[in-house]
Structures are given as C-alpha cells and as structure tokens.
Amino acid sequence: MLSKSQQLLLVLGFCLGVASADVDCSKRPTFVDPHTCCPLPEFISDDLKEKCQEYNVTMPPPPAMSGEQNGEGRRHHPHHHNHPSPCFMSCVFNETGIYEDDKVDSDKLKDYLQVVFKDDSDLQTLATDAFTTCATKIEEFKSKMGNRPPPPPPTGLPFCPMKPAFLMGCVYKKMFKDCPAAIWTDTQECNDAREHFENCKPPHRRSPNSQ
C-alpha cells in the first residue's frame, strides 16, 4: 500500500511529463488517489521509516500563480500536495546505499528490491528500469541547470540535496505510468489521470519574490 510520503513523491514526479498534441492539457482530469489506480506495495520499509523518522516531515507546496483562479474568481486548488523533505529521501538512500555520489548502485538496489518486492520479479524489473531511467534524467537535468544554486529550504528545515527526492519522485511516476496490467485499475478516471500527467507539464508557478 502506498504511504502518504510515497503518494507525495508520486505527485512530485508528475513534473517530468512533456506536452502532447493528443491530450488537452488545459483540462485537468478528475483527481484520483494514485494508489487507487496502481496499488503498488510500499517501497520504503518500516525499518527505514524508523531510522529516518526525524526527517520524515513535509514541505509546503510552491506558491500558486496569481492568476490561478477559476471563473468565479475563487482560488482554484489543482490537487497539489505538500512535498516530503529531501532530507528524508537522502536518509533512505544513505541507509540503503542505493544512490550514492549521484549514481545508482545496481547491486544494492537489487538486494533491496528483493526485500520490498519479494516474490514479484515483475515489480523488481519495473523498479530497476525506473531507477536506471530516472538517474539518467536527473543527470540530464543537472547539465541543463549548470551551476545554478538550489533554492533554500523552508525556515526551520535543514538543507539537503534535492536529487534524492527528485529521483524517487521520477521513479514513482514511471512505475505508475508503466503499472502492470495485472494490478492497474482500468477505469476512466485512472486512465485519464495517467494520460494527463504522462503528457502534460504542470503550470508554471511564480516564486514568492516575483512581481
């Protein structure tokens, strides 16, 4: 079952989609819980949650654009959730050794997946492919960003690298997108949701200091 943090990371991973001419990205689909559509087993073990519990806090969502309102002038909430602290995912990866020095350790990942996705080789293969693909995307994104400094963490939270959180968000997104047919909930709401976040970029948001 997806935990709250896992669902939040899945939402974080939505930002990696690209626009498609076949999807009307101006219309948001009906919100549906990702776990309802693809009930993947929990990725982060209880043991890891215990070890990293001091970092298991959520970060506030990015500020909405000033024009993000509906036709009646009321603030429109497009189902954005708080994001988990990057420090939590950094702790998870440090404890497992899955992702160190900006690289995925394939042997440690394999060992861990055999524990959390025990007796399910399809999910192990799915997760392995997701980590491999997403690690490459993270490096491509880094090269495009250059040496631009990361944004500071919210007041009261320690600074931690963003890569682990972005990597895990991407992994959840890819696993959701490629969810095995055997566990996928084939409903209109789920199909619309997957099609939308797979093909549409999220709306641009302004920083608190933008005019």
Side-chain angles (χ1 to χ4, degrees):
M1 179 177 181
L2 286 174
S3 68
K4 182 177 180 181
S5 293
Q6 190 170 356
Q7 294 177 38
L8 295 175
L9 280 169
L10 178 57
V11 174
L12 181 62
F14 289 178
C15 67
L16 299 176
V18 295
S20 170
D22 297 330
V23 179
D24 185 355
C25 294
S26 66
K27 296 181 179 179
R28 293 182 179 277
T30 301
F31 176 74
V32 60
D33 185 342
H35 176 65
T36 301
C37 300
C38 185
L40 292 168
E42 173 63 82
F43 180 83
I44 302 175
S45 67
D46 290 339
D47 181 55
L48 281 176
K49 290 177 185 176
E50 179 67 24
K51 291 180 178 178
C52 300
Q53 62 178 342
E54 65 179 296
Y55 304 111
N56 194 12
V57 297
T58 55
M59 298 176 63
M65 293 177 62
S66 60
E68 193 174 82
Q69 297 177 335
N70 61 23
E72 298 178 2
R74 294 173 298 184
R75 179 67 62 186
H76 175 62
H77 298 281
H79 304 297
H80 285 289
H81 298 273
N82 291 340
H83 298 310
S85 167
C87 296
F88 177 69
M89 288 314 308
S90 293
C91 177
V92 168
F93 286 139
N94 287 339
E95 290 289 338
T96 60
I98 289 175
Y99 187 64
E100 294 182 324
D101 299 324
D102 299 336
K103 294 181 181 179
V104 174
D105 188 313
S106 56
D107 291 332
K108 292 180 179 178
L109 175 61
K110 179 181 179 180
D111 291 342
Y112 184 73
L113 293 177
Q114 288 177 342
V115 173
V116 294
F117 294 154
K118 183 174 57 176
D119 301 325
D120 196 326
S121 59
D122 289 340
L123 285 183
Q124 292 174 22
T125 299
L126 180 66
T128 299
D129 178 62
F131 267 94
T132 301
T133 300
C134 290
T136 300
K137 285 187 176 183
I138 294 296
E139 288 307 303
E140 291 174 350
F141 180 75
K142 176 185 176 182
S143 65
K144 291 179 181 179
M145 293 295 292
N147 295 322
R148 184 182 305 176
T155 303
L157 292 180
F159 176 83
C160 291
M162 293 295 296
K163 280 187 180 181
F166 277 115
L167 174 63
M168 203 66 233
C170 176
V171 167
Y172 284 137
K173 174 185 180 291
K174 183 165 177 56
M175 292 184 69
F176 181 85
K177 183 186 72 173
D178 299 333
C179 185
I183 63 175
W184 178 256
T185 303
D186 189 18
T187 64
Q188 187 67 45
E189 291 80 5
C190 288
N191 292 335
D192 286 348
R194 179 161 66 175
E195 185 178 58
H196 184 85
F197 85 74
E198 180 180 354
N199 292 286
C200 301
K201 292 181 180 180
H204 291 292
R205 293 175 174 272
R206 297 177 182 175
S207 66
N209 296 324
S210 62
Q211 298 297 323

